[in-house]
Amino acid sequence: MPKVKVKRTAPSLDMTPMVDLFFLLVTFFMLTATARPDEAVIVDTPSSASEIKIPDTNVITITVDKDDRVFFGVDGQHTKEVLLDRIAKNYGIGFTEEERKTFSLLSNFGVPVNQLKSFLAMESNARKEVNQPGIPIDSTRNELGDWVLQTRLTNPQVVIAIKGDQDVSYPTVKRVMDILQEKKVDRFNLITDMEMKPTN
């Protein structure tokens, strides 16, 4: 008796569910990702094996570049607006609503308070190109201490992190730490690059 031959067909794969999944993942990542804000200065941080992570919110970042300039940054738009109002009151400077909004969008800055108004009045591209002199940290004009103190009064939950370039001079970093201790800040973090732990 002859065998019945079954007609063979090429297998087919429906790609529709896979494409749907791909677009769902892309949409998810686009909606949850946050854009990295422009930094006023780029620093090359030293490396360490520490695994302590800095929180995502309520962080004051004090950046010191290789030219010993000090930059100040804090997160949270509302915190920045209240902070600017406090600094304005202390230094007797008035800021417009537009300048307050511009300040709330800055990730960090490095200009003295007396130059801040003209700095905020610049166009966004001009602000990126300007050579910021850094926030004064000497004993006669300790503006960094004022920024730290007023930020802590605005938001007592803030954590302080120092991000220093690996080529920064030691006395500048020591001065920043002394300012923090003068303002009763005894705990702060140092931001470093991650390196592999040595194996035994």
Side-chain angles (χ1 to χ4, degrees), residues 100-115:
R100 290 175 75 241
K101 182 70 174 170
T102 302
F103 182 79
S104 72
L105 298 175
L106 293 177
S107 61
N108 60 2
F109 64 95
V111 294
V113 175
N114 61 3
Q115 297 175 18

Side-chain angles (χ1 to χ4, degrees), residues 21-179:
L21 179 64
F22 172 76
F23 280 113
L24 280 173
L25 287 173
V26 168
T27 305
F28 171 76
F29 288 125
M30 284 174 50
L31 294 175
T32 59
T34 56
R36 185 175 177 171
D38 290 335
E39 302 237 349
V41 65
I42 304 297
V43 295
D44 186 17
T45 55
S47 58
S48 75
S50 173
E51 294 182 359
I52 298 171
K53 296 198 179 190
I54 303 226
D56 294 331
T57 58
N58 299 326
V59 179
I60 294 174
T61 306
I62 300 171
T63 307
V64 187
D65 75 348
K66 62 183 177 183
D67 299 323
D68 296 334
R69 296 179 301 166
V70 177
F71 296 80
F72 180 87
V74 65
D75 61 341
Q77 286 186 328
H78 177 69
T79 302
K80 290 179 192 175
E81 288 180 5
V82 174
L83 171 62
L84 187 63
D85 291 340
R86 286 178 172 272
I87 291 290
K89 185 177 178 185
N90 283 1
Y91 284 84
I93 302 172
F95 292 99
T96 64
E97 193 61 38
E98 187 176 334
E99 289 167 342
R100 290 175 75 241
K101 182 70 174 170
T102 302
F103 182 79
S104 72
L105 298 175
L106 293 177
S107 61
N108 60 2
F109 64 95
V111 294
V113 175
N114 61 3
Q115 297 175 18
L116 189 57
K117 193 165 179 67
S118 59
F119 179 71
L120 295 174
M122 293 179 181
E123 292 292 325
S124 177
N125 291 335
R127 267 196 308 275
K128 291 177 188 173
E129 300 297 322
V130 73
N131 186 16
Q132 300 180 43
I135 296 174
I137 59 171
D138 56 352
S139 56
T140 56
R141 280 180 61 203
N142 182 8
E143 292 183 10
L144 178 63
D146 293 337
W147 285 106
V148 170
L149 175 64
Q150 295 305 325
T151 306
R152 293 183 71 214
L153 290 173
T154 303
N155 182 1
Q157 282 85 34
V158 290
V159 174
I160 297 177
I162 300 173
K163 182 178 181 181
D165 194 276
Q166 63 184 0
D167 295 327
V168 71
S169 66
Y170 173 75
T172 305
V173 176
K174 183 179 184 318
R175 176 64 185 144
V176 169
M177 291 179 181
D178 289 343
I179 289 170

